[in-house]
Amino acid sequence: MTTRQKAGETRETAVRQDSDIAIVATAQLPAVRRQELTETEMLLMVVDEALGKVDLERSDIGFSCQGSCDYISGGTFSFVPNLDAMGAWPPIHESHVEMDGAWAMYEAWVRLRHGDIDIAVAMGSGKSSTGDPAAIYPLELDPYYLAPLGLDPVSLAALQARQLIESGKSTERELAEIAARSRRDAAGNPNQQVRAAEQDVDKLLAEGYLRNPLRKSDLPPISDGACAVVLVRGPRAAELTERPAWITGIDHRSEVHNPALRDLTDSASTRLAAARAGGVAGVEVAELMAPFTAQEVILRQSLGLADGVLINPSGGALTGNPLMATGLVRIADAAEAILADGRSRTLGHATSGPALQQNLVCVLEGDNR
Amino acid sequence: MTHERVAVVGIGQTKHKKRRDDLSIAGLVREAARRALDDARMTWSDIDAVVIGKAPDIFEGVMKPELYLSDALGGAGKPVFRVHTAGSVGGSTAVVASHLISSRVHRRVLAVAWEKQSEGNAQFGLGGGKSGSIGAGGAFAPWIRAYIRKSGAPEHIGWQVAVKDRQNALRNEYAHLQLKDISIDKVRESPMMWDPLHFLESCPSSDGAGAIVLTDEAGGDAAAADGRAPAWVLGTSMRSEPSSFNGRDPIRPQAGVDCAWDVYRQAGITDPRRQIDVAELYVPFSWYEPMWLEGHDIAPVGEGWKMVDRGETAFDGDFPVNPSGGVLSSNPIGASGMLRFLEAALQVRGTAGEHQVDGARVALAQAYGAAAQYFAMWAVGTDKP
Amino acid sequence: MTVSTQTVSTIQFPYKRTLGPVMGRFFSELTARRIVGIRSGERVIVPPMEYDPETGNELARDFVEVGPAGTVRSWTWVAEPIESHPLERPFAFVLIRLDGADTDMVHVLDAGAEDAVYTGMRVAPRWRDEPVGRIDDIVCFVPGERAEAPEGEPGEAREVTTMEYFSTITYTDVLSPTLVRYASNLRAGKLTGQRCPRCNRVFLGRGYCSVDAIRLGPELDEDLPDRGVVSNYTIVTPTPYPGQKETEPFARASVVLEGDEMVIAQQQILDLPVSEIRVGMRVRAEWMPEAERDAAEITSKGWGTVAGFIKGWRPTGEPDEPAEQYMNRVF
C-alpha cells in the first residue's frame, strides 16, 4: 500500500515510523509427508520457536491470527483446538481465517496499524496428508458447474500449463529446469520435503507424463506443516532483532473464479497486488507460491521480474507444500532472506483458489547499515 | 496514531426462510449485498474490498466459498477476505471489515455474512458429520441448567424471552419465524428438545444473508449531508478463550466480560445499563438473554433474569433486547452475528421501521461462538464519536 | 499392548442445492439436450451466470442457444481416474469453446486414447439417456461434430430447480505420540493424563496445557481414577439426518473424575432411565471387554474421548455430591 521510495532509488536506511511494521522472527516445521503431531502441537512448536528467537512470551502478544481449513483438516471447527496453541487464558484478542496463513498475516498487519498494540503473531497450519487433495479440492470450485465434474488440482494445473506452452510463453524444458533448480535448492534447505529427487533436466524430461504436459516433477508433494511469524510495529522491531524485515507493502487481489473464464497464462491479480504493494523494482529474492512449475513462469512473467532475481531459493512450494501454511512459508522465507541473509529487498507471494485465482504479495525491506 | 472513524452507510439483508428455494448461494448473498449497496447509493464498482463471513464450510459442502463468491460480490480485481470464528463469525466479519477502514487501508468495504443451511444439515455439520450429534442446544443446555440453578431463576423466564422475541419478529419483515399466535402456553407445551430447552425456546435453521457497507469518516459525513444518517462505529472488540480447562466459568465466560468492557471503554460507556439504548445479543436459546445481560455486565450477576421478568428487555421496555426478533426468529448461522451488528446500526440510524426503538442513539451488538468462547461485539451510535 | 495408530473417518452428505433462475434455466435446457449461454455485453457466457463475473452487475436474462459442438482449447489426459472423476475409463479434462460462445467451459472428453486428443479438435456432447438436470447430463464430449444421444427426439425441457450433490471424503489420520500412549493405556484399562507443571491442571488426551500453551510429555503422565461425579448432562431428542442412527431421546453426561482434576464430556450413563440422571451423582466407568476395545474414535481432534474403551458410567449408589460446585464443568 505504501512505499517511501520511488522505484530505482538507492535505498538508504529509512527512518522507521511508528506506523511501520516488520517481521522480526519466523519459524516453520519441516514439511513432511505425514506429521504425527496434531495441528495444535505443530502450532505450539512454531509459535514457541518464533517467539524464542526474539525473547518474547505469549503474554507480550497483542493480537494473533490463525489460518487453516476444515476440509484440509478433516473436521468441523478444527481451528477451535488450535486456539490452545496461543494459551488463550486470560482471554486473548485473536481471529481466524479459513485461508492460508499469509492472509492471517495480512489481518495481523491491518490490526497493528491501529497503533494500540505492538506485537502480533500470524500462523498457518495444515495436514494435507489426512485426505486426498484430488478428492477434496473440487469442493472449492463452483458448486453447480465445476465441483460435480471432480476437476482435481493437478488436472487443472495441466490445463493451465498446456495453454502456457501452446501460447509460446514457456516450454516443457523450461518447466523441467524449474523443477531441477527447485530440487537443487531444496537439497540445502532442511525445511523442504523433496530433497533427494532427480535433478537432471534431461532425465526429468525422459519421465512419462502424469497429466500431460505435466510430469511428477512439475507437481508439489503432499505435505503437513505449520509456520508462524512475529510482526512488530515501529521502533520496537529494531530493539528485538538486528535487521527487521520491514513490510513496505502488502496487498491481495482476487479474480473471476471460473478458470475457464480467465486467461490462465497470466496472473493479473498478482501484478495488481504487487503494484499496490510498491512494485518489484530492486527485488533481489522472490518467494513465489507456485506449487506447479508452470505457475512459477506465469507469476514471474506477470510480475515482470528481472533475470537477476533469485526465485524460490528455498526450493519453493514445489518441494514442500503444507497447505494453508505454504503461502506464509513463502513470506517467512522472503523475510529470512533479510533477517538472516542480509538481503535488502525481497518479495513473498501466496496464492489461493483454482489456477491462481487469488494472490497476495508482500514486499519486504531491510535497512542498510 | 489515531485511527480513522468508521461509518455504516449501507445495510441489507435477505428475507430469511427455512429454505430459500428461489435462489442459488450467489443469489442469496447478492440479495443482501445489493440491498446494502442500494441503501448506500453505491454500485459494485464503488467498493474497495469485500469481507465474507460464514460458519463451517461443511454446512453447504463448498470449501472456501469466498473463492466461488468473489465475482458474485463484484470482487474481481479486489481484495476478498474470508473470516471464520465459529458462531461469532458474522460479528467478526463486521469487525474485520471495520478494521480495514479504521487502519486506513481501504475507504469503502462491503462485508457479507451468510448461510444456506437448507443445502445441508446443521446438526450433521455441528456433529462433525457423525451420528449422535448433540447439536448446539445439547451443548448449551447444561450451562443453561447451571445458570438456572445458580441464579434461582423461575422457569417461565425462558418462555417469556421466547415469546418476546417472536412477537418482535412480527415487526420485522425479514425475520424467518412469523408466529402470530405465540404464547407462554405454546412455548411451555412445545416438545422438550434438550432438557431444559423446549422446541420453541430454540432458534430455527434458516437460509439468509446480511450485508453492510462501511466507509471512512468522509463517507459517513457525505451520507449524513445527503440526509442518510450513518451509524458511527464507537468501539469494536473480539476475545477468545479455550473451550475447556479446570477453572473456566462457561456460564459467564471471561472472554465475554473482557470483550464487552473493551467496547465500553472505546465507546466511553461506564454504565452500560444506562448508556446503551438498545442491544442485539446473540440469543439462540431463550436463556441466553439473561445470561448475556449478566455476562456483559449489563445486569449484576444473578439479576439478568429479573430484568427479563420486569419487562425491561421487551420492545417497549427501557432496555430493549433483540427488537428484530433475534437469533430465536432467524438463524442463518454464519450470518446471525452480522444480523445483530446490522440491526444495531439500523436502530441508531433510525431506519429500523416497524421495530425501531424510540430514541435509540447508542446500540450494542454481540455474537458468540463454539463453546461460548469466541466473542465479537461492537457499539454503534447516532453521533459521531 | 499395541493400538492402531491410524484412524479413518468418512464425511459424506447428500447436499441439495437450489439453483435459482439462471442455472435453473441452463439445467432445464439440458433436459431437452440444449445448451444455453447468457449475453453479457458483447459476450455470450457459457454456462450462464447470474451476473457479469468481471463487474458483479446483474445480467438481463437474455439466453442464447450455443453449440452443441465446440473446439478444444486445452486438455490433459487422466490415465487413472479416481472415484470423484466423472468417467471410470481414461479420459481427458478439456476446456471447450462451444460454437456461438465467447467463453470456455470445463468438461470431460471420451476420446479413447491420449494421442487422439489435441488442441483445436472438434467435439460434441454425448447426452445422458435419462437427463436429471445436472452438468453431467452431458456425460462427456466425444470427438467430431455430431452429438451422441439416445434414439428419438428429446422431450420438452423439464423445469429444474434443485441439484443433488453427494460429497464423500475419507480422512486417514495418524495418532500423535501422546494419543498413542493414551490409547494404549485405555486398552489396558487405565485413564491417564498429564499434569501441567506450571498451573497444576491435568489434561487428558491432548499433550499440551490449554492454559499455558506448553507441551506435556510422557514424564508428566499420571494415572487418573475411573470414578467420578456427574457434573451436568444433556438429554437430546434426536433429529433425523443422513448418517444419524439415534431415534430415541438419549442422554449425554459430563463426568468430573474423582480428585476434581478432569472432566470427560458426552458420556452415557448406564442402566438408568434418562429422566433419573442427576447432577452430583457418583459413577464409575464400565469398561468394554478387553477384546472389543478399539481406538477408532481417538482422533487428533477428539480431546480426551474414551469412546471405544469405556462403554459408559454406572451409578455407584453412594450419596450424591453437592451439585453447585460441579455444574459448570461440562467440557
Side-chain angles (χ1 to χ4, degrees), chain B residues 113-128:
Chain B
W114 64 280
E115 208 73 62
K116 201 160 186 316
Q117 286 179 216
S118 68
E119 311 259 312
N121 180 293
Q123 299 292 5
F124 158 87
L126 292 167

Side-chain angles (χ1 to χ4, degrees), chain A residues 26 71 88 98 160 196 229 237 272 274 290 304 307 342:
Chain A
T26 82
Y71 267 111
E98 197 86 357
Q160 183 175 34
V229 300
L272 179 58
D307 283 350

Side-chain angles (χ1 to χ4, degrees), chain B residues 13-19 161-182 187 198-207 283-284 322-332 339:
Chain B
Q13 58 184 307
T14 58
K15 168 64 188 168
H16 310 294
K17 279 175 71 176
K18 181 166 190 63
R19 185 169 176 82
V161 172
V163 171
K164 166 188 72 86
D165 279 5
R166 274 39 176 283
Q167 284 174 336
N168 287 350
L170 297 173
R171 302 168 174 269
N172 176 4
E173 59 178 321
Y174 297 109
H176 169 177
L177 295 183
Q178 300 286 334
L179 307 175
K180 292 191 174 56
D181 53 356
I182 189 78
V187 177
H198 292 82
F199 176 73
L200 283 172
E201 290 179 283
S202 310
C203 52
S205 179
S206 319
D207 288 354
V283 178
N322 294 328
S324 66
V327 183
L328 280 170
S329 304
S330 311
N331 186 34
L339 297 178

